[in-house]
Amino acid sequence: MVKICCIGAGYVGGPTMAVIALKCPSVEVTVVDISISRINAWNSDQLPIYEPGLEDVVKQCRGKNLFFRTNVEKHVYEADIIFVSVNTPTKTRGLGAGKAADLTYWESAARMIADVAKSDKIVVEKSTVPVKTAEAIEKILAHNSKGICFQILSNPEFLAEGTAIQDLLNPDRVLIGGRETPNGQKAVKALKDVYAQWVPLERIITTNLWSSELSKLAANAFLAQRISSVNAMSALCEATGADVQEVSYAVGKDSRIGPKFLNASVGFGGSCFQKDILNLIYICECNGLKEVACYWKQVIKLNDYQKSRFVNRVVSSMFNTVSGKKIAVLGFAFKKNTGDTRETPAIHVCKGLLGDKASLSIYDPQVTEDQIQRDLWKNKFDWDHPIHLQPASPTSIKHVSVAGDPYQAAKDAHGLCILTDWDEFKKLDYEKIYKSMQKPAFVFDGRNVVDVARLREIGFILYSIGKPLDPWLKDMPALA
Ligand code: UDX
Ligand code: UDX
Ligand code: ADP
C-alpha cells in the first residue's frame, strides 16, 4: 500500500488529500499539521474550512484511508510520498520585504523530513513557491541525506475555493514537474500513477521542475490580469456611460478571449493572486527584468486602485462624509461559497470607511465575528502564518458590529455595500431593506449582483461597478 503524508492541513492540503483518498482506496493518506486545533477540527463534525461537498468526501474516507494527525514526524517517517502544503507568507522585513516569499515554514518542513527519513522519499511541492525553490529544498535534503534518495517534484494545485471539490474531481489539468534524470522520471511516474486513478492521462502534463513552478505563478498572474483589465474598463465605463457587463459579454464572445473570469468587481482577493504576483515581480527584479516586473506590478496597482475607488465612491456619494453614519456591509469573504477572508477586498473597504469614521454593521453567511474583528485589526501580510502563531487581537474594533442577517445589518443604515457575490444577496427583500434604512438610501454594489432597474424603482440611489451612473452620482465629485 502506497503511503502519502501531507504536511499542512489547510485550504489546499485538506481538500486535495481528501479527494486523493476518495479516488485511491489503495492509498493511505495522512494529513499532518503543527496546529492541534486545526487537526482537531478536521477530526470533528465542524471542519475548519467551509467548502461545498468537502464534508461528504471527508466523511466517506476519514478513518478508512484518510487520517488527520498531529504526530508529524511519525507519518513523515512512514510515508513514500510527502506533499508539502505549508504557509508561504510574503516577507515583511529584510531582503525582498513586501514582495519575496518567506520560506521559513518550507525550510523547517524540509529539515524535519531530512531528520526523520530512514527510507527513500518523494517530496512534492504543493504550496505555490518561487521558481527554483525545489533546488533549494533539494540542497537541504541532499546535504542531510545519510545516503537516502530524495526526489523532489513540483505539483502545483490549481483548485479555486468554493469549487475545490469539483476542481479536484475534474481538473482541467494536473501538472507534475520533475528532474529529467532516471530517478526523477521514476518519481514523476509514481505521482502520475496516483492521479491516473481518476484523471484522464491526456490531462496529466509533465514538465521540468522550473516550468511547473513558473506555470503556477503564471496562471495566477494571467487570471488576476484579466480581472484588473476588466476592472480598468469598469472605471472607463462609468466615465463614458458604457456598461461593463455588456462590454465583457461582447469581448468574451471572441473565442480567443473566452467568456470566463471577466466579471468586474470591487477587486480580487484570496490567498494566491496578490502573493503570487508579488513573487513573480520579485523574481523578475532579481533577474534584471525591470520592464517585466513593472508590467505585473500594474495588475496589483490597478486592484488597489479599484478598492480605493470604491471607498471614494461611497464617501463622495454620501455628501463627502460617512462620519457617524451607519454603513451595512454585506459579504466579507473574498468570494462566494467560502468563509475564507485572506486578502479579501472587504478588509480594504472596511478599513477605508472606518478611516472616514463610519460605523459598520457587517454580515457574511460564513465568516465568524471573531474572524472579522481579527482581520480588521491585523497588519497587511500577517494572515499567512499558522493560526497559532498569529498575534491574537486584543478586543473588538470600535465602530464594527457583526449582524446575524442582512436585514439587521441594514436597519437604520445610510448606505449598504455589497462586497461578496453570495447568491443570497440577489434574492433579498430590497423593499423591506429600503423601508428600514435612512433616506436617501444608498446601495453600492461591488459585485454587480442586484437588479439595477428594480432597485432604482424602489427608490435607492444605486452605484454598481462599471454601470452607467445614477444621475445623483454624476453630480457628485469623483474623488478617485
Ligand atoms: C485562484 C485560482 O483561480 C486558482 O486556480 C488557484 O489555484 C488559486 O487562486 P481562488 O483565489 O480560490 O483561486 O479564487 P478565484 O475564483 O480565482 O477568485 C479570486 C478573486 O478574484 C476573488 O476575489 C473573486 O471574487 C475575484 N474575481 C474572480 C473577480 O473579481 N472577477 C472574476 O471574474 C473572477
Ligand atoms: C487583430 C485582431 O485579431 C482582430 O480581431 C481585429 O479585427 C484587428 O486586429 P490582426 O492585426 O489582423 O487582427 O492579426 P492578429 O492575428 O490579431 O495578430 C496581431 C499581431 O499579434 C501579429 O503581429 C501576430 O503575429 C501577433 N501575435 C498573435 C502574437 O505575437 N502571438 C499570438 O499568440 C497571437
Ligand atoms: P493553503 O491555503 O496553502 O492550504 P493554509 O494556511 O490554509 O494554506 O495551510 C497551511 C497549513 O500548514 C497551516 O494549517 C499550518 O498550520 C501548517 N503548517 C505550517 N508549517 C508547518 C510545519 N512545519 N509542519 C506542519 N504543518 C505546518
Side-chain angles (χ1 to χ4, degrees):
M1 193 178 206
V2 175
K3 285 195 177 183
I4 289 180
C5 173
C6 174
I7 307 178
Y11 284 89
V12 172
T16 310
M17 292 304 124
V19 168
I20 291 182
L22 180 77
K23 291 294 180 182
C24 309
S26 64
V27 175
E28 185 182 291
V29 183
T30 307
V31 191
V32 295
D33 203 292
I34 41 174
S35 162
I36 297 168
S37 62
R38 209 155 200 188
I39 289 296
N40 287 345
W42 279 107
N43 282 316
S44 75
D45 285 338
Q46 196 67 49
L47 300 184
I49 62 178
Y50 171 73
E51 188 61 55
L54 175 64
E55 205 177 310
D56 253 16
V57 177
V58 169
K59 279 189 177 154
Q60 281 185 62
C61 308
R62 199 171 50 192
K64 288 189 193 135
N65 66 333
L66 175 66
F67 304 92
F68 295 93
R69 298 284 185 259
T70 50
N71 194 344
V72 180
E73 280 87 357
K74 173 178 184 283
H75 294 285
V76 165
Y77 167 80
E78 290 176 356
D80 307 296
I81 303 177
I82 302 161
F83 285 85
V84 184
S85 189
V86 300
N87 316 62
T88 49
T90 304
K91 280 184 82 172
T92 48
R93 49 180 83 168
L95 196 64
K99 278 182 286 204
D102 169 355
L103 292 173
T104 310
Y105 301 108
W106 242 104
E107 189 177 331
S108 110
R111 289 184 187 280
M112 183 269 298
I113 295 171
D115 270 357
V116 306
K118 296 278 181 289
S119 57
D120 294 353
K121 309 277 180 210
I122 297 172
V123 178
V124 185
E125 273 182 356
K126 201 61 177 160
S127 33
T128 314
V129 284
V131 184
K132 301 257 165 175
T133 297
E135 197 166 49
I137 301 304
E138 231 171 23
K139 282 185 183 140
I140 294 176
L141 293 172
H143 282 280
N144 297 279
S145 75
K146 301 161 285 184
I148 293 167
C149 172
F150 290 108
Q151 275 306 320
I152 183 129
L153 300 179
S154 158
N155 171 222
E157 187 44 65
F158 294 104
L159 68 82
E161 286 171 37
T163 52
I165 298 300
Q166 279 322 308
D167 294 345
L168 287 163
L169 289 173
N170 188 24
D172 287 343
R173 79 303 209 184
V174 166
L175 180 56
I176 304 173
R179 284 284 185 197
E180 286 143 316
T181 58
N183 276 343
Q185 289 307 299
K186 219 170 109 192
V188 168
K189 181 171 182 312
L191 186 57
K192 195 171 172 179
D193 288 345
V194 172
Y195 285 107
Q197 297 192 41
W198 80 97
V199 180
L201 280 180
E202 65 276 13
R203 289 201 213 159
I204 306 180
I205 306 170
T206 57
T207 65
N208 75 30
L209 269 176
W210 327 133
S211 299
S212 172
E213 287 182 336
L214 185 57
S215 298
K216 176 65 200 254
L217 292 181
N220 277 342
F222 277 44
L223 289 168
Q225 183 243 42
R226 271 174 88 91
I227 304 170
S228 279
S229 296
V230 77
N231 282 344
M233 287 300 159
S234 75
L236 190 56
C237 285
E238 287 165 30
T240 56
D243 178 327
V244 76
Q245 284 181 309
E246 292 178 353
V247 173
S248 287
Y249 181 76
V251 169
K253 277 290 177 190
D254 186 325
S255 62
R256 294 168 299 179
I257 297 172
K260 293 182 185 167
F261 246 74
L262 285 178
N263 293 318
S265 66
V266 58
F268 61 73
S271 66
C272 286
F273 284 179
Q274 173 164 302
K275 193 168 81 174
D276 290 356
I277 295 176
L278 287 174
N279 235 298
L280 194 59
I281 293 168
Y282 185 66
I283 296 168
C284 292
E285 284 172 351
C286 289
N287 283 286
L289 303 170
K290 216 173 93 207
E291 284 74 11
V292 185
C294 275
Y295 175 78
W296 290 112
K297 218 178 261 176
Q298 205 54 35
V299 172
I300 303 217
K301 276 195 185 167
L302 206 290
N303 198 49
D304 288 340
Y305 166 72
Q306 188 76 346
K307 293 182 277 188
S308 303
R309 203 168 75 77
F310 186 86
V311 174
N312 290 345
R313 267 291 178 216
V314 176
V315 178
S316 67
S317 310
M318 298 173 76
F319 318 102
N320 261 341
T321 178
V322 286
S323 179
K325 292 176 184 166
K326 177 176 173 180
I327 309 281
V329 172
L330 300 193
F332 198 81
F334 81 97
K335 64 188 273 197
K336 72 175 176 182
N337 295 335
T338 178
D340 192 356
T341 60
R342 294 177 294 175
E343 293 290 352
T344 176
I347 295 177
H348 184 107
V349 171
C350 288
K351 282 186 174 171
L353 294 173
L354 287 169
D356 224 279
K357 296 204 168 71
S359 196
L360 304 181
S361 181
I362 305 174
Y363 165 76
D364 188 288
Q366 284 300 334
V367 185
T368 62
E369 170 152 19
D370 179 54
Q371 183 67 45
I372 292 173
Q373 297 284 359
R374 263 190 286 144
D375 285 335
L376 293 177
W377 181 79
K378 257 187 278 193
N379 289 323
K380 199 173 155 93
F381 300 132
D382 265 3
W383 54 269
D384 199 5
H385 291 274
I387 212 107
H388 62 288
L389 298 181
Q390 287 180 22
S393 55
T395 45
S396 52
I397 310 271
K398 242 179 155 179
H399 304 304
V400 174
S401 65
V402 174
D405 68 65
Y407 301 101
Q408 189 195 339
K411 190 171 181 305
D412 296 322
H414 291 258
L416 182 150
C417 299
I418 300 174
L419 301 185
T420 311
D421 50 342
W422 284 104
D423 288 337
E424 66 178 78
F425 299 155
K426 288 188 186 133
K427 297 175 233 141
L428 296 176
D429 182 347
Y430 281 100
E431 210 140 336
K432 177 173 159 187
I433 287 178
Y434 181 75
K435 283 188 190 136
S436 77
M437 285 175 67
Q438 309 269 354
K439 308 295 177 316
F442 296 85
V443 168
F444 304 92
D445 183 358
R447 297 287 186 168
N448 282 335
V449 297
V450 302
D451 179 337
V452 173
R454 171 86 190 106
L455 261 73
R456 291 205 174 127
E457 194 182 288
I458 292 173
F460 284 108
I461 296 166
L462 174 68
Y463 166 74
S464 282
I465 295 269
K467 294 267 183 185
L469 291 180
D470 197 298
W472 175 291
L473 300 170
K474 264 194 214 146
D475 297 338
M476 290 290 168
L479 298 175

